[in-house]
Amino acid sequence: MVCTKNNHLRLLHCASYRDNNENIILVGNKNSGKSRFVQEKAIDNYHIYADDLLIWTKNTTFVSLGLPLRIRRENIQDKQLIKKNFLVGKNILYSHINSFDLAKFGDEFELDKLLLMMQNYSPEQVSLLNTFKVIKKFIIDENLYTIKRKIR
C-alpha cells in the first residue's frame, strides 16, 4: 500500500465534507453514524470528500480517494432516491458517479474543523489543541486496522 511505504502519508478512517467554505473531517468509531451523517450532507448538495477513507499527508493537507458513497441499505428508506442515485448491492448502496458532488481522486484540501461523532450519533467539535491527537486515533495501520490510541 502506498501509504505504508511513504512515511508522510497515512490512511485515515473518517468522513469529510465542505460546509460554507470550511473543510470538515468527521471521525468516530465504526458504526457511529459517520457515513449516514455525510450521506445526508450529500443529499443536501454539500461537496463530499469521503465517507470512509482519506489520505492524511502528516501536515494539515488531506487527499480524497475519489470513492463513491457507500451506504448500508437500511439507512435509506426512500426507494426513489435509491433508484435514481445508487447501484444496489446485497447490503450496500454505491452512489452513481454524477449523483452527488463528490471529490475526485487526488483532490487536496486543508482541514478547517474536526468533528468527533459521539455515542448519541451527534458530532461535537474537537478543540484546536486536541485536533491532531484525535486524528491519530483513527489512522489505519499497514494491516488495515484502525489504530486505537488513548486521547491524552
Side-chain angles (χ1 to χ4, degrees), residues 74-138:
E74 69 268 10
N75 288 345
I76 299 181
Q77 303 304 318
D78 185 339
K79 291 184 182 187
Q80 289 297 88
L81 179 70
I82 292 172
K83 185 176 181 180
K84 180 180 175 190
N85 296 297
F86 292 93
L87 296 171
V88 179
K90 183 177 178 183
N91 297 312
I92 303 290
L93 303 172
Y94 301 91
S95 66
H96 292 297
I97 291 174
N98 296 317
S99 293
F100 302 102
D101 183 9
L102 301 179
K104 306 281 188 258
F105 175 77
D107 285 355
E108 294 182 1
F109 66 96
E110 300 288 320
L111 175 63
D112 294 309
K113 188 185 294 182
L114 180 68
L115 303 177
L116 177 62
M117 188 63 84
M118 306 309 288
Q119 288 181 348
N120 61 358
Y121 300 105
S122 66
E124 288 188 8
Q125 187 169 349
V126 175
S127 73
L128 185 59
L129 291 174
N130 290 323
T131 294
F132 292 109
K133 288 180 186 177
V134 173
I135 285 176
K136 287 178 182 179
K137 182 178 180 192
F138 297 95

Side-chain angles (χ1 to χ4, degrees), residues 11-48:
L11 195 58
L12 183 66
H13 180 228
C14 66
S16 183
Y17 61 99
R18 184 172 48 230
D19 182 4
N20 293 323
N21 295 321
E22 283 190 316
N23 298 315
I24 299 167
I25 292 178
L26 175 64
V27 294
N29 293 327
K30 187 176 180 175
N31 298 321
S32 64
K34 297 179 303 298
S35 291
R36 190 172 192 171
F37 185 88
V38 86
Q39 165 226 316
E40 291 171 7
K41 297 293 184 185
I43 291 169
D44 290 338
N45 295 316
Y46 286 72
H47 183 69
I48 307 300

